[in-house]
Amino acid sequence: MDEGKAARPHWWSRPQEAPRSQDPTAPSDPEAPAGVPQMAEPAPAQPAPADGADAGPDSGDRPDGTPPTPADAAQRPSLSKEPAPEPSQAAEPSDRPAIPPAPAVPPSQPVPANPYAAPVAGAGHPADAAAPRHPADPYGTPPYGRPGPWAPAPPVQRPTAPPAYPAAPPAAPPPGDWHRYDPWAPPAQPTPTPKRRGLVVAVAAAAIIAGLIGGVAGAYVQRQEAGPGITLPQAPADHGGRAPGTVAGIAARTLPGVVYIHVKGNGEEGTGTGFVLDTQGHILTNNHVVAPASSSGDISVTFSGGATHKATIVGRDTGDDLAVIKVGGVSGLKPLPLGNSESVRVGDPVVAIGAPYDLEGTVTSGIISAKDRPITASGGAGGAGEVSYVNALQTDAPINPGNSGGPLMNAQAQVIGINSAIRAADNGSPDGAGSQGGSIGLGFAIPINQAKRVAEELINTGKAVHPVIGVTVDMRYVGDGARIADQGPNGAPAVTPGGPGANAGLKPGDIITQVDGEPVHTGAELIVRTRSHTPGDHIKLMVRSGDAAPRPVDLVLGGSTTG
């Protein structure tokens, strides 16, 4: 409050000015501040008066013991001594505790000077002025106006770097130990409590159940609020049949007689298609489908109903790319009816059925694009197998690898051909290297008339008889027409003695340009045209010998069991 300010003296602590010393040479207090009155030194203790004598300042006697005169009374200064209370005015009890009197100082011991003591009796002052107005302070508390003793300042607490996070929480203090609050201490780590796994699992299960119930309830409410919703019109299911002439009708009647062939043997494996010829279990397919198992191997046949049976080879014809296999012990077979390929016209609708890329029961449709298309095909990989010559039916019905041996059906659900070859897209190389597999709309089928004859021969004799002219054709000839070679294989004559060609007057080097009025441009076309007939058929040829004009030649076809 008043620290550092000049204190204003109060009436209870204001010192009285001491009387000036009679000795002018007496030194003054050098430490007394200017303007502060000097305090009187306490008077020496007086000896106690004798019993019955009143020698105090208030007795009124002179120092020599004579009674005071009126003049002495006039010169005595008035004291602030309160009159004694009347007997009737008894002192009221006070709540203040009684202050003990100050201890007496022996006469032999000097009393130290107290600058804050009240004025004492001296020259010119009454004797009772030396008594203090208040009891002595046993604690020595200074009066207001001067700074008193200061308490020692508390130690300075400086912030320190927080210690590293302890590996474990600090140990709890012993009971009853007192710890001061330290604002710079790291926060106390909570003591981990053991997890209650069972409680957590129960809470999680309850939450999941509540979520499911809420989801179901919300969906129900949403549906109720949304109303009946939108119902799109739809035609009823039609489980009835299809017209016989439609693709669906043809497929429905054909699929039960189609089989899917899996072949393993000679380190090769392949798949193909076939169809049932009779109730005895004979199945017709392509020769290149079963060729891997020709000497040894395994052939399994899967019917449309899913039943699988083993099969054996009855006979093969490499020249026509046809083969017959047989399954035994199978009942309920449904042979497909055979049509007549001579009745086929360009543009007739057709349906092809097979298992391209092992996709069983695949049905495609198209038309007959051309007839009597002479093709040569090889059943081996990369064209290294046996070559077949076919006067084929051309169709744009999609045919892919795996369709080989499958039936080509007409609108009456009759077999008119056996799907055998396709023309694939290539990169333009002369040998067709790099050809891309898959249908490009150029598929070829063996006419059923030719396939029927070969199948009957294979079932009956195990061998097929091919119609022949009895001459060796020069396959290296690049001119127009089919040229008879100068010499046969292994040094044999090019025209077989006593054969159909020798009997018709054909010579080595002759060039055949037509067969039954159809132009022939290559040796392969001559073979294909001949294979479309049967042994014993009469054919008419146009033959050119040297520079002479072409001449007609009649010829009766012979037969051969060789390729």
Side-chain angles (χ1 to χ4, degrees), residues 61-72:
D61 295 338
R62 291 184 176 182
D64 56 356
T66 60
T69 60
D72 295 333

Side-chain angles (χ1 to χ4, degrees), residues 341-505:
S341 55
E342 293 292 335
S343 302
V344 175
R345 298 291 181 269
V346 175
D348 285 350
V350 291
V351 175
I353 301 176
Y357 298 102
D358 208 18
L359 299 174
E360 301 175 357
T362 300
V363 177
T364 58
S365 63
I367 62 170
I368 295 295
S369 302
K371 293 177 59 177
D372 301 325
R373 186 74 73 187
I375 62 170
T376 59
S378 173
E386 297 172 332
V387 179
S388 60
Y389 300 91
V390 178
N391 193 28
L393 299 173
Q394 180 181 336
T395 179
D396 66 348
I399 297 175
N400 294 283
N403 277 100
S404 295
L408 183 67
M409 313 297 293
N410 61 11
Q412 290 74 38
Q414 300 171 341
V415 181
I416 59 173
I418 292 89
N419 302 319
S420 301
I422 60 173
R423 180 69 167 88
D426 56 38
N427 58 2
S429 59
D431 57 355
S435 297
Q436 178 181 358
S439 174
I440 59 173
L442 298 175
F444 303 94
I446 300 172
I448 191 60
N449 291 5
Q450 180 180 349
K452 175 182 177 294
R453 178 182 60 83
V454 172
E456 291 173 346
E457 293 176 350
L458 293 176
I459 293 173
N460 295 329
T461 65
K463 295 181 180 179
V465 178
H466 304 129
V468 294
I469 298 176
V471 298
T472 299
V473 180
D474 185 4
M475 303 302 293
R476 295 176 296 177
Y477 180 68
V478 294
D480 187 52
R483 182 180 180 273
I484 300 175
D486 295 330
Q487 190 176 11
N490 300 324
V495 179
T496 304
N503 296 333

Side-chain angles (χ1 to χ4, degrees), residues 8-16 80 82 118-119 133-134:
R8 183 168 56 88
H10 300 279
W11 65 268
W12 63 82
S13 62
R14 183 179 302 162
Q16 297 181 3
S80 59
E82 297 179 358
R133 297 181 181 273
H134 302 281

Side-chain angles (χ1 to χ4, degrees), residues 48-322:
D51 295 341
D54 186 6
D58 297 333
S59 61
D61 295 338
R62 291 184 176 182
D64 56 356
T66 60
T69 60
D72 295 333
Q75 294 177 357
R76 180 180 299 175
S78 61
L79 300 177
S80 59
K81 187 174 181 180
E82 297 179 358
E86 296 290 335
S88 61
Q89 297 177 354
E92 296 180 0
S94 174
D95 294 336
R96 297 181 181 177
I99 300 176
V105 180
S108 61
Q109 184 177 358
V111 178
N114 186 358
Y116 303 102
V120 298
H125 294 279
D128 57 357
R133 297 181 181 273
H134 302 281
D137 184 7
Y139 303 100
T141 303
Y144 291 99
R146 294 187 63 182
W150 294 94
V156 178
Q157 296 181 353
R158 302 182 182 279
T160 58
Y165 189 84
D177 189 11
W178 178 258
H179 291 269
R180 295 181 180 272
Y181 170 72
D182 187 359
W184 305 104
Q189 300 297 327
T191 303
T193 57
K195 297 181 179 178
R196 299 182 179 178
R197 188 176 185 85
L199 179 60
V200 174
V201 172
V203 172
I208 293 175
I209 295 174
L212 292 175
I213 296 174
V216 173
Y220 176 78
V221 172
Q222 183 178 8
R223 289 188 178 183
Q224 293 298 323
E225 293 179 354
I230 298 175
T231 302
L232 300 177
Q234 185 180 17
D238 181 9
H239 299 289
R242 296 293 183 267
T246 63
V247 174
I250 296 171
R253 288 186 288 172
T254 304
L255 284 172
V258 179
V259 299
Y260 311 102
I261 304 171
H262 300 262
V263 181
K264 293 181 181 179
N266 294 329
E268 299 181 26
E269 183 175 356
T271 61
T273 310
F275 60 92
V276 179
L277 290 173
D278 54 31
T279 58
Q280 299 177 8
H282 291 103
I283 297 171
L284 182 62
T285 185
N286 282 131
N287 174 67
H288 71 263
V289 172
V290 298
S294 59
S295 58
S296 63
D298 180 73
I299 301 175
S300 61
V301 176
T302 303
F303 292 84
S304 60
T308 301
H309 300 274
K310 297 293 183 181
T312 58
I313 297 177
V314 175
R316 302 186 307 124
D317 179 15
T318 60
D320 292 318
D321 192 21
L322 292 170

Side-chain angles (χ1 to χ4, degrees), residues 522-546:
T522 63
E525 288 187 14
L526 176 63
I527 297 174
V528 169
R529 302 293 183 190
T530 304
R531 292 279 179 95
S532 62
H533 295 273
T534 60
D537 287 349
H538 290 263
I539 61 174
K540 182 178 288 188
L541 304 177
M542 292 296 295
V543 180
R544 187 178 71 242
S545 298

